[in-house]
Amino acid sequence: MTTPVFQNYIDGTWQPAHNGQTFPNHNPATGELLGHFPLSAASDVTAAVSAARAAFETWRLVPAPKRGEILYRVGELMTRHKEELARSMTREMGKVLQEARGDVQEGIDMAYYMGGEGRRLAGYTVPVELPNKTGIALRDPVGVVACITPWNFPIAIPTWKMFPALVAGNTVVLKPAEDTPLSALCLVELLYEAGLPRGVVNLVFGPGKPTGEALLQQSHVDIISFTGSTETGRHVAVEAARMLKRVSLELGGKNAVIVMDDADLDLAVEGILWSAYGTTGQRCTACSRLIVHRAVQEKLLAKLVPRMQSLRLGNGLDEDVDVGPIINAKQLAKVHNYTALGQAEGATLVTGGAVAHLAGELAGGNFYEPTLFTGVQPEMRIAQEEIFGPTLSVLTIDSLAEAIQVNNNTKYGLSSAIYTQNINAAQRATRDITTGILYINAGTTGAEIQFPFGGTRGTGNGHREAGIAGLDVFTEWKVVYTDYSGKLQKAQIEE
Ligand code: ADP
């Protein structure tokens, strides 16, 4: 069978990169070559931005309820094609099928939610201070949105950016991660099948350099919406600042589960397993620190470690598999380096800590054993830096105050969880934990799209995705005053 060659989608037409270059897309579980995608350069990106700029002038005039109806149809199409979308995602990204279905479902939920926003997109009105005058605050679109997305949620994250942008009347250039181009392509096909006018969403493939970099340099892009590593996010912010562009960043996390001495330990084990090893630890909200009360640590680990050791590694397409591969060889090496680092820092490796060599068709896969360190001190690098793999660091504490202090003491602030049966402890944690998401008696993962998603400190730059907060990123407030007094009235001037 010949390997398929895919194309960019610009101004309603499929086209190769102008220079004809391509890059390969591989299955991280098997190494299988899935296809070739255009390695786009600056001229391809400029063409995509020009198409989006031209389409903006008509798309912004389509009534918002009609824009919403298209998104609603996208939700229906995604529902119909959910299984195919999930399977092709698992093949290129590796996450187990059940989680890939969840990824697609987040996109479906966002389509329906933002479809509904077509009939709300609420501004507001409040009383004005002068007689015979009104004031209303409206949401205007901002213009052309550049969406730069990562590989860990290949469908959900592009929908979290594109759907609020589209319902608000913006047009889009999407550059998906080079490890998961196929999922983005399938999604864009469905957008057009649902009736999106040409040029409203443009898709360019390619790596960070040159493709992503070229998108940052476009003067006709009005907003950059980025999800990815802290290092790249900082660079995106600097480039956006140079050109005075709006920028929304979703970056790393160093999320913790706190287990207090009165916790339901069986419940906690389930939440820890899911949050730390689900998606092979490659979620922004994955738990990579376990902050546990000294009184229950031994008992908790006695339950947790055998469960970790019985997690089945393998191809995510196999329904019996619990943990899929790591996305690529570079990331696998990074995870393994952190194991060496943890040992060098003096932490105790309890289980895992090695590349897993599976047999047969999985011999070429990027698998890593679920890993657990104890004796981790808060200042160690394995307790501070985002590893983005199946590695969990156990930090021992003696009080709630200490647990909260350790939890808050990282440069990130995305998600935290606390297991306790004590209402007072839960309330104190709610007040004092400084992350954007807090779970009480459940793990750190699992956001619902009708709520704001994002975090404090180095996790972002203060914006939130999803919910109504997501619309704030993609709209400009415009205030319209109407004075029907028939005379000059001066606001805020004493006469
Ligand atoms: P990861 O470690 O997840 O690969 P990155 O931040 O490198 O994280 O990648 C997230 C997204 O940012 C990807 O789509 C990637 O191609 C893109 N990207 C990487 N480097 C740059 C860059 N210099 N400019 C713009 N986009 C980039």
Side-chain angles (χ1 to χ4, degrees):
M1 211 177 84
T2 54
T3 310
V5 179
F6 297 96
Q7 298 188 321
N8 289 329
Y9 197 64
I10 298 175
D11 202 17
T13 61
W14 295 102
Q15 44 188 280
H18 292 153
N19 60 16
Q21 286 187 19
T22 61
F23 67 94
N25 178 24
H26 292 281
N27 180 334
T30 61
E32 177 198 1
L33 178 62
L34 300 174
H36 295 282
F37 285 81
L39 201 165
S40 310
S43 65
D44 304 292
V45 172
T46 302
V49 172
S50 303
R53 172 58 48 198
F56 176 64
E57 290 312 323
T58 45
W59 180 243
R60 72 184 179 87
L61 301 177
V62 173
K66 297 290 169 205
R67 297 194 296 248
E69 280 170 24
I70 293 176
L71 290 182
Y72 195 86
R73 282 201 291 279
V74 173
E76 290 182 315
L77 285 169
M78 289 177 75
T79 306
R80 200 177 313 147
H81 294 283
K82 184 170 173 182
E83 194 59 22
E84 294 147 62
L85 290 169
R87 283 182 175 273
S88 65
M89 182 189 303
T90 293
R91 283 179 76 210
E92 70 173 352
M93 189 275 166
K95 67 170 80 174
V96 300
L97 208 43
Q98 189 197 18
E99 294 179 26
R101 292 185 189 116
D103 189 316
V104 179
Q105 188 58 45
E106 283 190 26
I108 294 169
D109 294 342
M110 190 57 96
Y112 288 142
Y113 181 75
M114 286 299 163
E117 277 307 311
R119 286 192 185 267
R120 280 186 295 269
L121 215 59
Y124 62 94
T125 182
V126 286
V128 296
E129 66 182 31
L130 292 169
N132 300 317
K133 184 181 171 192
T134 59
I136 53 171
L138 306 173
R139 286 184 189 273
D140 263 358
V142 185
V144 175
V145 182
C147 301
I148 301 178
T149 55
W151 45 261
N152 64 336
F153 279 84
I155 293 242
I157 292 177
T159 68
W160 284 36
K161 296 182 185 308
M162 290 199 294
F163 293 176
L166 291 173
V167 80
N170 303 281
T171 55
V172 170
V173 176
L174 170 63
K175 193 216 77 68
E178 51 273 39
D179 284 308
T180 53
L182 188 57
S183 297
L185 183 136
C186 296
L187 177 64
V188 168
E189 278 179 344
L190 294 184
L191 278 162
Y192 282 93
E193 195 179 330
L196 198 72
R198 64 176 248 227
V200 174
V201 167
N202 304 276
L203 178 62
V204 282
F205 296 105
K209 288 193 183 105
T211 319
E213 194 65 47
L215 199 44
L216 302 183
Q217 307 305 333
Q218 297 284 324
S219 57
H220 289 300
V221 165
D222 300 289
I223 321 176
I224 301 165
S225 178
F226 172 86
T227 301
S229 64
T230 303
E231 198 187 4
T232 308
R234 185 175 290 118
H235 173 67
V236 170
V238 168
E239 291 306 299
R242 260 189 344 99
M243 297 174 82
L244 280 182
K245 282 190 203 312
R246 192 185 277 217
V247 60
S248 160
L249 304 172
E250 282 300 333
L251 310 175
K254 191 69 190 174
N255 313 296
V257 168
I258 298 172
V259 179
M260 293 305 296
D261 49 354
D262 60 0
D264 176 337
L265 296 185
D266 292 316
L267 187 66
V269 165
E270 298 304 325
I272 295 161
L273 281 172
W274 176 236
S275 300
Y277 304 111
T279 327
T280 324
Q282 303 173 114
R283 287 176 176 235
C284 321
T285 55
C287 163
S288 57
R289 294 183 298 154
L290 173 57
I291 301 173
V292 57
H293 198 286
R294 192 180 305 277
V296 292
Q297 176 167 324
E298 210 179 302
K299 220 167 141 192
L300 180 75
L301 294 184
K303 290 172 185 280
L304 178 66
V305 172
R307 290 286 304 280
M308 283 177 60
Q309 289 167 336
S310 66
L311 290 171
R312 275 162 311 210
L313 270 58
N315 189 337
L317 288 176
D318 176 349
E319 301 266 6
D320 291 332
V321 162
D322 300 305
V323 179
I326 287 182
I327 187 72
N328 55 38
K330 187 170 157 224
Q331 190 59 24
L332 182 70
K334 179 179 165 197
V335 171
H336 195 46
N337 279 341
Y338 272 105
T339 296
L341 182 70
Q343 289 173 302
E345 286 183 304
T348 308
L349 179 63
V350 175
T351 185
V355 173
H357 298 286
L358 305 187
E361 63 150 19
L362 304 180
N366 310 315
F367 294 95
Y368 203 75
E369 293 174 357
T371 300
L372 184 109
F373 278 104
T374 55
V376 179
Q377 300 305 313
E379 66 283 359
M380 287 181 180
R381 285 181 58 193
I382 55 166
Q384 289 291 335
E385 297 175 14
E386 187 177 48
I387 300 172
F388 228 57
T391 304
L392 183 62
S393 293
V394 180
L395 298 111
T396 314
I397 47 89
D398 291 292
S399 67
L400 177 65
E402 189 187 34
I404 292 172
Q405 195 272 331
V406 170
N407 179 83
N408 291 346
N409 175 30
T410 74
K411 63 181 180 190
Y412 299 112
L414 184 53
S415 186
S416 299
I418 182 164
Y419 282 87
T420 178
Q421 300 294 311
N422 180 330
I423 180 97
N424 296 345
Q427 288 297 327
R428 281 201 193 99
T430 302
R431 184 190 62 196
D432 294 337
I433 281 181
T434 54
T435 47
I437 298 168
L438 170 64
Y439 260 106
I440 296 168
N441 290 326
T444 50
T445 60
E448 299 201 19
I449 60 99
Q450 65 275 29
F451 287 100
F453 179 90
T456 59
R457 299 187 281 278
T459 289
N461 62 340
H463 292 290
R464 293 292 184 270
E465 297 200 298
I468 299 301
L471 285 175
D472 292 336
V473 172
F474 300 108
T475 52
E476 291 280 9
W477 283 113
K478 179 192 278 171
V479 179
V480 183
Y481 297 106
T482 305
D483 188 325
Y484 56 98
S485 68
K487 58 184 187 203
L488 176 64
Q489 301 195 92
K490 295 178 186 161
Q492 281 151 353
I493 293 202
E494 287 180 21
E495 303 224 35

